[in-house]
Amino acid sequence: MSGFSRRARRRGIAAVALAVPLTLAMSVGAVAAEPQAAGTDRAATAVTGKGHGNGNGNGNGSGHGNEGNHGKPPVLEATVKSLIKVKGRHFKDLNANGKLDVYEDWRKPVEDRVANLVDQMTLEEKAGLMLIDTLNAACDPASGEFGTVPELADDFIGEQQMHRFIFRNVVAAGDRGACEPSGGGFSTNVVVTPAEAAEFMNAIQEKSEATRLGIPASRA
């Protein structure tokens, strides 16, 4: 195999490896957009809400170049980045460049958005997206508050450019033990309520949105 062929093959493998987590992140965000009114993950909706409609403004369509009326556009909320308005529709300006990029356009197909985002990513951002680690909600023994964001989140998201996390907290309503320092990872002992879990997820999404390209976090 020639040197050129080997380099091309490595680039192809890297592109596939990067596209998979990005596609999952954007797809998860799009799914999360529907229950917005019920108070679910606001930041995920703001990042990757996906509209409905075809070129004629009705039905469910996602054709290339689709800029139809869209009967049910996502309800976006500004948390970290600003909203921009294009042709009567609102979009998140995730890279803060003042214009609508393809990956910010919820009307476009996921594969087009992924390709546009990959083109804008640095090598460090691409490497970080291939990483995944546990990020659990913590609690503050001093205040007794549950569902807090651990300091580890700043390192994972801000320094290592990570956006994929495993959430291992037990989510339950009712009685629970006193707040104690979390063991972290598999040994977390922090139990959170559904509301605390939702607030924690929103806080993580806001940290992800605050990154250079505003790539949403995905959770397992």
Side-chain angles (χ1 to χ4, degrees):
M1 181 182 294
S2 68
F4 174 80
S5 298
R6 284 194 294 270
R7 288 194 299 272
R9 182 172 180 272
R10 285 196 295 268
R11 286 197 298 269
I13 292 173
V16 171
L18 184 61
V20 169
L22 270 176
T23 301
L24 289 174
M26 289 191 166
S27 297
V28 169
V31 172
E34 285 303 316
Q36 163 68 18
T40 55
D41 197 334
R42 295 177 290 106
T45 301
V47 172
T48 58
K50 193 174 183 181
H52 300 271
N54 55 26
N56 298 318
N58 49 40
N60 247 341
S62 59
H64 293 254
N66 186 352
E67 294 187 3
N69 184 56
H70 299 273
K72 292 178 62 180
V75 178
L76 303 183
E77 178 179 332
T79 53
V80 179
K81 301 292 178 69
S82 300
L83 293 177
I84 55 178
K85 190 174 183 179
V86 178
K87 295 184 178 180
R89 299 302 187 193
H90 289 93
F91 305 86
K92 272 281 188 177
D93 187 14
L94 295 173
N95 59 8
N97 66 353
K99 65 179 184 180
L100 180 62
D101 292 77
V102 173
Y103 87 93
E104 299 166 339
D105 191 341
W106 43 261
R107 300 168 301 182
K108 302 297 185 183
V110 170
E111 58 269 24
D112 291 354
R113 299 175 67 190
V114 168
N116 178 251
L117 179 55
V118 170
D119 285 344
Q120 300 188 42
M121 295 174 70
T122 65
L123 180 61
E124 290 77 12
E125 288 165 338
K126 293 174 182 178
L129 199 63
M130 296 183 189
L131 302 176
I132 185 169
D133 208 332
T134 293
L135 184 59
N136 293 322
C139 68
D140 183 0
S143 65
E145 181 183 2
F146 282 78
T148 59
V149 177
E151 293 181 0
L152 187 62
D154 291 330
D155 176 60
F156 279 173
I157 299 173
E159 298 298 326
Q160 299 189 49
Q161 309 289 336
M162 295 173 60
H163 296 274
R164 298 192 297 153
F165 305 106
I166 301 172
F167 178 72
R168 302 185 190 276
N169 293 90
V170 173
V171 180
D175 296 335
R176 61 184 170 191
C179 174
E180 298 178 359
S182 173
F186 287 95
S187 61
T188 182
N189 55 4
V190 176
V191 178
V192 294
T193 66
E196 290 165 346
E199 288 298 324
F200 171 75
M201 299 300 183
N202 284 338
I204 296 301
Q205 287 290 6
E206 288 187 10
K207 285 183 176 292
S208 286
E209 185 181 316
T211 59
R212 188 179 72 91
L213 294 174
I215 299 172
S218 62
R219 301 169 301 279

